[in-house]
Amino acid sequence: MSDTPVELELSVQPSSQTESGRGLQPPPLFQRPLTTRDPSAPRQPPLLQLDVQLPESLPEQQHRARPRWINHRRLLLLLSGFSLCSAILGLVYYMHYNHQHSSIQAATPCLSPACQWASTRLSMSADPFTQPCDYFLSTCRSDILSPDNVGGQMEEDIPGHPQEQKSVWTERRGRSKEREDRRLRKEKIPDRQTVLLQYLREILESKDRPDSAAVQKTKEFYRSCLDTRSIDTAGAEPFLSLIHKLGGWAVSGQWNRTDFNSTLSLLMRDYATFPFFNLYVGKDPNEIARGTTKRYIQIDQPDLLIPIEWNSKTLKSEAKTQTLLPFLASCESYLALLGAPPGIIRTHVGRFTSLSSELAAAAAPLHFRQSKGPLYQRMTIRELQIQAPTIDWLGCLQAAFHPLPLVEDDHVLLHNSPYIVQMSLIIGKWLNEHELSTSGPVRTYMVLYLLHTLMPALGSRFSETATNLSVALGDAEGVDDRWKHCVLETERGFDLVLTHLLRKRTAHREAEEIIQNICSSFKSKLHELKWTDQRTLQFVMKKVQSLIPRLWTTKEISSEAELNLLFSKVTVGTNSFFSNYVQLLSMRRKRRIQLLTEKAEAADILSVTPLLLGDELLFPMGMFIPPLFHPTYPRAMNYGVMGFLIAKDILHLILPDVHSQSEMVQAVGECVWAHYLTVTDKAGRGGALSLAAAQQQEVWVQYSALQIALQAYHQSLKNHPSDTSISGLSHTRLFLTSFSQVHCVSDPYREAMPMEPSFLITAICAESDLCPTSLQCPNTSQLHSSHTC
């Protein structure tokens, strides 16, 4: 669906229902009751009314002539009627209770280890139905949409409540909020990417026996990465030994003055290092629309080490003094750690910075390059050699893709051609001016760039220097846990092994089932919307109907024997992470070759959201992992969490700008927001703020995603009525309780969501027979409402 426009004008044929009847009403499947009444129990019939009447007037003598028992006929008939009515009511009640009791007993408790863990987690979390305020009136951040926050709200008088009742409730809410804040700080559900990394960590740290040779090497690499003591003990010595093998450099005192292009070829081939330009593999965007699968070598400007800023007036990149000083200090620290004599450090750093600044001035940010025309030029390697003659392009590319044969007539895609041309001139000038000098600034530039590549394999003193620079530049995001760093590094070299292990642990049948059911419910959701343009509707609906949703698996490696053969030449030592890391960089060259020669799109093991690839809607395996998904969970849990996330991902992917095409998006968004203001008691106190278009759309997306997931779950219950349960919760209540756990989750659209997703339960529960009647807070109006969204 790559040719689908970014902004879709969607429209659906209106149904025969009236606007009030279909516009914002949840579909009938959403009216499934909870434990308050069994959905399949027969409704209680009306009371039997026996209307036994006598004539209004009878002659007195006739009345006196009747036998005595006739005089009491009315009383006897009434007593008989009441007895019969009581018997029928008792029978109905017995049948109803017996059916309900048997229905509850039919919900088999889930006792798997995964369910026991989930049950423990649920018991430690606030129940959205017995403790609604803990979920519905609290947020994970300050309430930026209201002039007052929740804490300030608790200090005000509660309308309709005595002052003494307010003080008790305020104290109770205060304690509850403190507990909730502590819980969120300690048990905040991580983002899906972190959940996946944690799961891969468990795989790498598992003690499964016996492991294949490839799996053993993968785990040994991971363990050597965790061994920071050995890494710190080695210090800079492994890197200095590597530089010596490459011919040395002027800073170390020994330099064989090796050829510039020969050194560059070695850096590209063995160490995945590209100091003067970037190199990657990808498709030609102009050919994607035609369905071609051919990939090309793509050449672009490099990731510059020196911090620069774009000057919109001069239209050039430049280094500012306030950022240049900490950069110089970090370079001096690196040279000192590498054993450079103090007297020559500043000279080498000064020339390295000058060369870096010249290269940076030739670079340009993406938005500027887009404004100047096409992002790339297609040309042969021979034509590229003419434009930038300082670099031996054929020799360097042959080294980077060895042993793949390349010739001068092969095509490449050249990005930012002005930079590549200027880079060639700059390098040529510096080589001519300093080739006979003892400083070798171009050589120093390549060595420090290689140091940047190998930094993850060096000791803590190097990483601390890099962190200090990030802090000085104001872009530090905090230091990740070591295990997370090691999982990511392991994936870079052993992704095929991890993909194989993840595929073995993925419940394919259960994942495919929930994918298909959610996609089917999503398609039905589209028909509920009132679109503005019929032609675009027909186009989009045709696209949606043609989509093939499936689990994204790879067929590159089909057996452990193939993996063992592929990694047969890789040797991994448990106490030498540096040498292991160097081999990892060499393996990345093999992956580039595979990307260039293979037609199939390799599955991205670190992906956690679906993607469109032609007519296929692919769902990565990394989405279907514990604790978000497990094959032994009750389906209510899987649909309440993963079903909601899948539906939300699809809505964002397929309908990126639906707000401008459907009035219902605004109507639903404002309806839910008005409900939120009412429940949180902000509507009458200056809190009735309108939502921006992006916020309205996000509220509609998440509310619709919850509806889609619930409808898909109820449909699955119709097809397969049996489902297990946890903690004795009924199916729908377990669904909603599980959904409430998707709380405070890091999400790329989080800033557009004006409330916690768990509040959407109150909107879903607007149907009075869906949720328990206790869904309310003492200081607000009841959360049940006759007005539904």
Side-chain angles (χ1 to χ4, degrees):
M1 195 169 159
S2 56
D3 54 345
T4 305
V6 177
E7 295 188 359
L8 303 177
E9 296 185 359
L10 307 178
S11 175
V12 178
Q13 296 287 349
S15 67
S16 59
Q17 294 175 296
T18 62
E19 180 70 14
S20 61
R22 72 171 177 84
L24 301 180
Q25 293 289 340
L29 288 175
F30 298 157
Q31 300 175 7
R32 190 178 184 91
L34 290 172
T35 54
T36 56
R37 191 185 70 216
D38 190 84
S40 59
R43 291 190 177 271
Q44 184 171 309
L47 294 177
L48 294 177
Q49 299 180 1
L50 301 179
D51 190 9
V52 182
Q53 297 182 354
L54 294 175
E56 293 183 2
S57 61
L58 289 173
E60 186 176 352
Q61 63 274 21
Q62 195 176 34
H63 175 71
R64 288 196 300 267
R66 291 175 177 174
R68 181 178 295 274
W69 66 270
I70 295 179
N71 294 334
H72 301 289
R73 182 174 59 181
R74 180 189 296 271
L75 179 60
L76 292 173
L77 288 174
L78 288 174
L79 291 175
S80 300
F82 282 123
S83 299
L84 179 61
C85 180
S86 300
I88 294 176
L89 287 175
L91 180 62
V92 170
Y93 174 79
Y94 173 78
M95 294 175 63
H96 173 75
Y97 175 81
N98 185 64
H99 179 82
Q100 185 180 39
H101 183 71
S102 63
S103 177
I104 295 175
Q105 293 298 323
T108 305
C110 180
L111 301 177
S112 69
C115 286
Q116 293 176 8
W117 179 91
S119 178
T120 301
R121 185 173 183 86
L122 287 179
S123 65
M124 295 172 60
S125 304
D127 184 356
F129 296 104
T130 59
Q131 299 170 278
C133 298
D134 289 343
Y135 270 102
F136 304 145
L137 300 186
S138 64
T139 59
C140 297
R141 57 170 187 216
S142 60
D143 198 347
I144 60 176
L145 291 177
S146 175
D148 54 350
N149 55 28
V150 176
Q153 176 188 340
M154 289 190 290
E155 296 299 328
E156 298 185 8
D157 290 340
I158 303 174
H161 289 70
Q163 182 65 26
E164 60 271 20
Q165 183 176 352
K166 185 207 78 168
S167 62
V168 174
W169 173 243
T170 299
E171 182 180 356
R172 186 159 61 91
R173 279 292 311 278
R175 291 197 302 268
S176 176
K177 187 175 187 300
E178 290 178 2
R179 290 194 301 269
E180 177 71 357
D181 290 343
R182 288 195 299 269
R183 186 187 69 82
L184 292 177
R185 285 194 296 270
K186 294 180 180 180
E187 299 182 15
K188 176 181 176 182
I189 297 179
D191 60 272
R192 285 189 274 175
Q193 189 73 59
T194 301
V195 170
L196 175 58
L197 293 178
Q198 290 172 337
Y199 189 65
L200 294 177
R201 175 192 184 183
E202 293 176 7
I203 293 177
L204 290 169
E205 295 180 356
S206 64
K207 303 297 183 180
D208 297 340
R209 289 290 186 271
D211 283 332
S212 66
V215 173
Q216 288 179 9
K217 293 176 182 179
T218 304
K219 292 183 176 182
E220 288 174 0
F221 178 91
Y222 172 74
R223 286 193 291 268
S224 69
C225 177
L226 291 176
D227 186 7
T228 55
R229 177 177 297 181
S230 297
I231 296 174
D232 285 338
T233 301
E237 185 58 34
F239 181 78
L240 292 174
S241 299
L242 177 61
I243 296 303
H244 179 72
K245 293 179 181 179
L246 292 174
W249 62 320
V251 175
S252 65
Q254 296 179 350
W255 180 24
N256 297 337
R257 297 184 181 276
T258 52
D259 176 69
F260 163 74
N261 275 297
S262 297
T263 302
L264 182 59
S265 297
L266 288 175
L267 294 181
M268 295 174 64
R269 186 190 70 185
D270 297 333
Y271 308 107
T273 298
F274 311 97
F276 305 109
F277 51 87
N278 207 350
L279 193 69
Y280 59 95
V281 174
K283 297 179 182 179
D284 185 344
N286 292 330
E287 295 181 353
I288 292 178
R290 298 195 295 268
T292 60
T293 58
K294 182 176 177 58
R295 296 182 179 88
Y296 297 90
I297 297 173
Q298 315 231 359
I299 302 170
D300 202 347
Q301 67 184 35
D303 298 323
L304 298 167
L305 300 183
I306 187 171
I308 58 173
E309 296 182 14
W310 178 251
N311 190 322
S312 57
K313 295 182 179 179
T314 62
L315 299 180
K316 288 186 177 181
S317 298
E318 56 188 32
K320 299 292 184 65
T321 303
Q322 59 269 28
T323 59
L324 192 58
L325 291 177
F327 173 72
L328 291 172
S330 67
C331 292
E332 291 178 358
S333 298
Y334 288 138
L335 290 183
L337 290 173
L338 293 175
I344 66 171
I345 287 180
R346 289 209 167 184
T347 300
H348 286 280
V349 169
R351 292 186 176 179
F352 165 74
T353 304
S354 297
L355 176 56
S356 299
S357 299
E358 287 192 39
L359 292 173
L366 181 60
H367 67 83
F368 175 76
R369 292 150 59 186
Q370 289 175 324
S371 66
K372 303 300 290 185
L375 286 176
Y376 64 93
Q377 293 176 283
R378 181 169 174 165
M379 61 180 64
T380 63
I381 299 176
R382 180 184 291 106
E383 292 170 335
L384 175 60
Q385 188 66 53
I386 296 173
Q387 288 200 24
T390 303
I391 307 296
D392 178 13
W393 291 104
L394 181 60
C396 287
L397 293 178
Q398 286 176 335
F401 290 92
H402 176 78
L404 191 68
L406 293 175
V407 296
E408 290 183 328
D409 291 330
D410 287 329
H411 284 85
V412 297
L413 301 185
L414 183 64
H415 297 252
N416 198 0
S417 176
Y419 167 83
I420 298 297
V421 172
Q422 189 65 18
M423 176 271 299
S424 176
L425 295 174
I426 293 171
I427 298 302
K429 181 192 69 172
W430 278 76
L431 288 174
N432 291 331
E433 292 179 357
H434 301 281
E435 185 177 8
L436 300 178
S437 69
T438 58
S439 61
V442 176
R443 179 78 173 185
T444 297
Y445 185 94
M446 290 192 287
V447 169
L448 289 182
Y449 210 97
L450 177 62
L451 176 67
H452 177 74
T453 301
L454 292 169
M455 194 84 71
L458 295 173
S460 58
R461 298 178 66 184
F462 288 91
S463 59
E464 288 171 1
T465 301
T467 300
N468 292 337
L469 176 61
S470 297
V471 171
L473 297 178
D475 56 2
E477 298 180 356
V479 180
D480 286 334
D481 294 327
R482 182 68 186 182
W483 70 263
K484 185 181 296 185
H485 164 78
C486 292
V487 170
L488 290 172
E489 294 297 346
T490 305
E491 187 275 336
R492 293 175 65 192
F494 298 89
D495 58 322
L496 291 179
V497 179
L498 288 179
T499 300
H500 175 72
L501 293 175
L502 184 61
R503 183 173 59 181
K504 288 175 59 177
R505 288 165 171 79
T506 301
H508 292 251
R509 181 176 61 83
E510 290 81 359
E512 289 281 6
E513 178 184 341
I514 194 172
I515 288 172
Q516 298 298 330
N517 289 342
I518 292 295
C519 288
S520 176
S521 184
F522 161 73
K523 293 177 181 179
S524 68
K525 184 67 177 176
L526 292 182
H527 291 282
E528 296 180 18
L529 291 174
K530 182 180 180 181
W531 302 100
T532 58
D533 183 81
Q534 290 292 324
R535 290 178 302 175
T536 307
L537 159 69
Q538 295 173 1
F539 170 77
V540 171
M541 292 303 296
K542 182 180 179 181
K543 278 290 184 181
V544 170
Q545 294 297 336
S546 66
L547 288 178
I548 305 173
R550 69 173 179 87
L551 189 64
W552 192 16
T553 58
T554 180
K555 297 181 180 178
E556 292 177 301
I557 301 296
S558 58
S559 67
E560 291 187 350
E562 292 181 80
L563 284 173
N564 292 338
L565 179 61
L566 181 65
F567 292 91
S568 59
K569 297 182 179 180
V570 177
T571 57
V572 178
T574 56
N575 297 320
S576 180
F577 181 59
F578 186 88
S579 61
N580 295 342
Y581 195 82
V582 169
Q583 290 188 81
L584 178 148
L585 297 177
S586 180
M587 287 188 289
R588 292 181 64 187
R589 174 175 52 83
K590 297 180 180 179
R591 296 298 293 147
R592 283 197 303 271
I593 294 175
Q594 290 178 336
L595 287 175
L596 188 62
T597 56
E598 295 178 356
K599 295 182 179 181
E601 194 76 26
D604 182 4
I605 189 176
L606 296 181
S607 179
V608 291
T609 55
L611 74 155
L612 286 171
L613 189 62
D615 289 334
E616 289 188 314
L617 182 58
L618 302 177
F619 294 85
M621 291 184 294
M623 296 177 64
F624 303 94
I625 59 172
L628 301 177
F629 180 89
H630 197 275
T632 67
Y633 282 165
R635 296 203 308 276
M637 288 194 66
N638 283 332
Y639 278 84
V641 178
M642 186 49 58
F644 166 77
L645 294 174
I646 292 175
K648 186 173 65 169
D649 290 339
I650 294 176
L651 288 168
H652 279 304
L653 185 64
I654 306 298
L655 308 174
D657 190 29
V658 68
H659 183 275
S660 60
Q661 284 84 30
S662 176
E663 298 176 355
M664 284 190 63
V665 175
Q666 178 182 359
V668 172
E670 292 295 345
C671 175
V672 175
W673 179 240
H675 191 44
Y676 176 79
L677 294 178
T678 300
V679 170
T680 55
D681 198 28
K682 297 177 182 178
R685 301 184 296 106
L689 303 176
S690 297
L691 296 179
Q695 293 170 327
Q696 292 173 355
Q697 174 159 320
E698 188 59 26
V699 172
W700 175 85
V701 164
Q702 299 208 24
Y703 182 57
S704 299
L706 183 56
Q707 288 180 318
I708 289 171
L710 187 55
Q711 183 181 26
Y713 173 60
H714 284 156
Q715 186 60 45
S716 74
L717 279 181
K718 284 187 175 181
N719 299 334
H720 308 285
S722 62
D723 191 12
T724 57
S725 181
I726 287 180
S727 303
L729 299 179
S730 65
H731 295 157
T732 308
R733 180 166 176 176
L734 180 58
F735 172 95
L736 294 173
T737 301
S738 301
F739 163 74
S740 70
Q741 300 299 304
V742 187
H743 189 59
C744 307
V745 178
S746 176
D747 185 279
Y749 300 94
R750 176 165 178 77
E751 293 303 319
M753 187 65 176
M755 65 194 74
E756 291 306 319
S758 57
F759 180 81
L760 298 175
I761 295 178
T762 68
I764 289 289
C765 290
E767 291 293 333
S768 60
D769 64 344
L770 181 64
C771 298
T773 57
S774 61
L775 192 61
Q776 58 182 329
C777 289
N779 67 326
T780 63
S781 59
Q782 288 192 0
L783 301 189
H784 285 305
S785 171
S786 59
H787 180 63
T788 60
C789 298

